[in-house]
């Protein structure tokens, strides 16, 4: 019996060590994979090496800022003078924010806030020269904080971010799971086998109706089946309404109106196409929160009602969302652009905003594009061509201008004639002329900056209102990250009268970095 126990222990030990053994062999053979010994390196070496790098980076930042001050005092362009400062500060941030191989500095830490404040102030200095003294004092504080080797800070980093903390071990485990050589070798074959036998597309995917071509992102579905972010059971989550109200007030202080656009997730519009989930029982959390925002006096756009109504024409016009992708089709994007344009025009008519008179002439032309669905990519099955490329027809927006020139006569008896030529130029953001700034996520990016380009809702919105627009887009980060981008470029708000904030409904619960208050 004892031999059986010993055999069991040996087999268990072999299985436990097999992933690390295979990975070590892969590392020794020169393949660039996950390094199994990172966990030992991070116990002592990394925290003290980080201190040395921070001190070096802080010294370079101090030199760069001294040179920039001299250059600005000599009358040089502020933007050009700050290039070295921006680069040095970025290098310092990269070192300071990465505590070790698997843990990032907590956003609640004073060091994090100090670095982000410096980043924001430096980015805004060119447009706000009156903040020079504040920038100077903040950068001096950064240099004083990070410009010396601190044993105490290294020890605190080991204590709060070290290998025995849950944040480290969880990230370490994810890395092993995702990048281990053994996993990379066998996971695709396992996924394909599970799909062929059970038609299971993976943990991130919910299968739709029919032959499996219609896929849903699991987070989109979970957002609707879990309690509302405003429910008492979601008390640990940041309150999105409070963050949105705070942002509205911050913008008002700068003379900018806020317009909130919550983009419905795919299962909110097509719940009947879900397999294994009773679509009729899905909660309408996104629409309920949108209604709450409207009742609090915020400007909002309801995309739920028109998208649900437009489904009636799917048979002739095609679906509003892509088959194996989280995003809408060009048809859905253009419908959204029309609804947002209607709301903006209504705000203009009501005297809420003054965005100037129509000044642009845009036209649209058909263009085909191939889409490889992001949900299909998440499943890991696209490498086996389980899900096919979907071709869509987008409508590329261009600016149309009429140019005039005199054409010489063909003979001495004729007069010169005026010839008018139509010139089309690609649509582009115009931060200088636009009175409208758009913040968005991947629903604002799709078709806009990827194929077929300039065919997304942003371009069609500009076409509908005949005015220039500007945009800041952050894939998956429209809840907090895109506002952080705006805070670092606060100068772009100058001259703006309206900010349109678009984000997908699942971000109300799952938004990257939650719904933090961002100071401008």
């Amino acid at each position: 019996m004892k031999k059986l126990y010993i055999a069991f222990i040996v087999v268990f030990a072999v299985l436990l060590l097999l992933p690390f053994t295979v990975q070590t062999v892969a590392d020794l053979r020169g393949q660039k994979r996950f390094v199994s010994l990172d966990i030992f390196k991070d116990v002592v070496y990394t925290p003290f090496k980080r201190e040395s790098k921070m001190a070096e980076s802080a010294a370079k930042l101090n030199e760069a800022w001294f040179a920039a001050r001299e250059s600005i005092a000599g009358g040089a362009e502020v933007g050009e003078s700050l290039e070295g400062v921006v680069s040095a500060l970025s290098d310092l941030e990269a070192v300071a924010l990465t505590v070790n191989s698997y843990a990032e500095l907590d956003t609640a830490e004073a060091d994090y806030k100090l670095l982000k404040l410096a980043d924001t102030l430096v980015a805004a200095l060119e447009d706000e020269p009156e903040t020079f003294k504040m920038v100077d004092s903040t950068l001096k504080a950064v240099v004083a904080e990070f410009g010396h080797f601190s044993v105490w800070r290294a020890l605190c980093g080991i204590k709060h971010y070290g290998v025995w903390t849950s944040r480290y071990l969880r990230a370490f485990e994810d890395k092993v799971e995702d990048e281990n050589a053994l996993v990379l070798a066998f996971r695709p074959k396992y996924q394909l086998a599970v799909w062929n036998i059970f038609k299971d597309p993976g943990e991130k995917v919910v299968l739709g109706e029919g032959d499996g071509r219609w896929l849903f992102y699991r987070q989109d579905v979970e957002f609707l089946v879990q309690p509302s972010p405003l429910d008492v059971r979601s008390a640990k989550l940041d309150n999105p309404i409070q963050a949105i109200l705070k942002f509205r007030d911050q913008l008002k202080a700068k003379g900018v109106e806020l317009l909130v656009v919550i983009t419905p997730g795919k299962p909110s519009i097509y719940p009947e196409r879900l397999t294994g989930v009773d679509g009729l029982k899905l909660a309408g959390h996104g629409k309920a929160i949108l209604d709450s925002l409207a009742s609090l006096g915020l400007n909002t756009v309801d995309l739920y009602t028109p998208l649900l109504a437009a489904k009636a024409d799917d048979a002739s016009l095609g679906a509003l969302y892509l088959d194996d992708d989280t995003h809408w089709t060009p048809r859905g994007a253009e419908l959204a652009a029309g609804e947002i344009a209607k709301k903006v025009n209504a705000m203009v008519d009501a005297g809420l905003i003054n965005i100037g008179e129509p000044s642009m002439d845009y036209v649209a032309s058909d263009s085909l594009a191939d889409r490889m669905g992001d949900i299909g990519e998440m499943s890991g099955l696209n490498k086996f061509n389980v899900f096919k490329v979907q071709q869509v027809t987008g409508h590329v927006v261009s600016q149309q201008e009429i140019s005039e020139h005199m054409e010489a006569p063909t003979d001495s008896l004729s007069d010169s004639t005026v010839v008018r030529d139509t010139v089309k130029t690609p649509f582009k953001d115009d931060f200088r002329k636009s009175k409208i700034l758009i913040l968005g996520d991947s629903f604002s990016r799709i078709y806009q900056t990827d194929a077929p380009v300039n065919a997304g809702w942003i371009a069609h919105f500009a076409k509908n209102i005949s005015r220039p627009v500007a945009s800041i887009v952050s894939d998956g980060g429209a809840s907090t990250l895109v506002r952080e981008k705006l805070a670092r470029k606060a100068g772009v708000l100058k001259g703006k009268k309206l900010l349109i904030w678009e984000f997908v409904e699942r971000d109300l619960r799952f938004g990257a970095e939650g719904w933090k208050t961002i100071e401008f």
Side-chain angles (χ1 to χ4, degrees), residues 28-65:
L28 292 173
R29 292 177 61 186
Q31 298 180 27
K32 192 175 181 181
R33 303 280 194 181
F34 166 71
V35 181
S36 304
L37 299 179
D38 271 355
I39 195 167
F40 301 105
K41 181 182 69 174
D42 287 334
V43 173
V44 177
Y45 175 76
T46 301
F48 294 100
K49 181 65 176 176
R50 172 175 174 258
E51 286 297 321
S52 297
K53 287 184 176 180
M54 284 195 297
E56 292 172 9
S57 299
K60 290 179 181 178
L61 175 62
N62 191 42
E63 292 174 7
W65 177 234

Side-chain angles (χ1 to χ4, degrees), residues 354-467:
N354 178 11
I355 56 174
E357 294 298 318
S359 59
M360 309 295 283
D361 186 13
Y362 294 110
V363 294
S365 56
D366 291 358
S367 180
L368 293 176
D370 291 336
R371 297 294 313 178
M372 180 60 77
D374 59 355
I375 309 178
E377 289 289 340
M378 293 176 205
S379 73
L381 295 169
N382 272 355
K383 63 188 69 176
F384 302 107
N385 296 318
V386 171
F387 306 112
K388 306 300 181 183
V389 171
Q390 182 178 359
Q391 191 171 75
V392 297
T393 300
H395 303 96
V396 177
V397 175
S398 303
Q399 181 184 347
Q400 182 172 266
E401 296 179 293
I402 306 297
S403 64
E404 296 183 352
H405 67 272
M406 299 297 293
E407 189 171 276
T410 55
D411 55 66
S412 58
L413 299 177
S414 303
D415 296 329
S416 298
T417 56
V418 177
V419 177
R420 291 180 174 84
D421 293 327
T422 300
V423 179
K424 292 182 180 179
T425 56
F427 171 90
K428 62 180 180 179
D429 282 347
D430 192 334
F431 282 91
R432 292 181 61 188
K433 294 181 181 178
S434 173
K435 295 183 181 296
I436 300 173
L437 177 63
I438 296 168
L439 300 187
D441 57 13
S442 57
F443 278 84
S444 295
R445 182 259 307 155
I446 190 169
Y447 315 123
Q448 190 66 29
T449 57
D450 53 10
V453 182
N454 293 331
W457 80 260
I458 292 176
H460 281 275
F461 166 73
K463 176 178 175 290
N464 290 339
I465 64 169
S466 301
R467 293 173 175 87

Side-chain angles (χ1 to χ4, degrees), residues 132-146:
F132 184 89
K133 288 184 178 180
M134 187 183 299
V135 175
D136 184 56
S137 62
T138 303
L139 289 178
K140 286 178 179 177
V142 169
V143 172
E145 178 65 29
F146 299 100

Side-chain angles (χ1 to χ4, degrees), residues 324-340:
D324 55 358
D325 197 288
T326 55
H327 301 97
W328 41 32
T329 59
R331 178 187 168 216
E334 290 172 30
L335 185 150
E339 293 298 319
I340 297 168

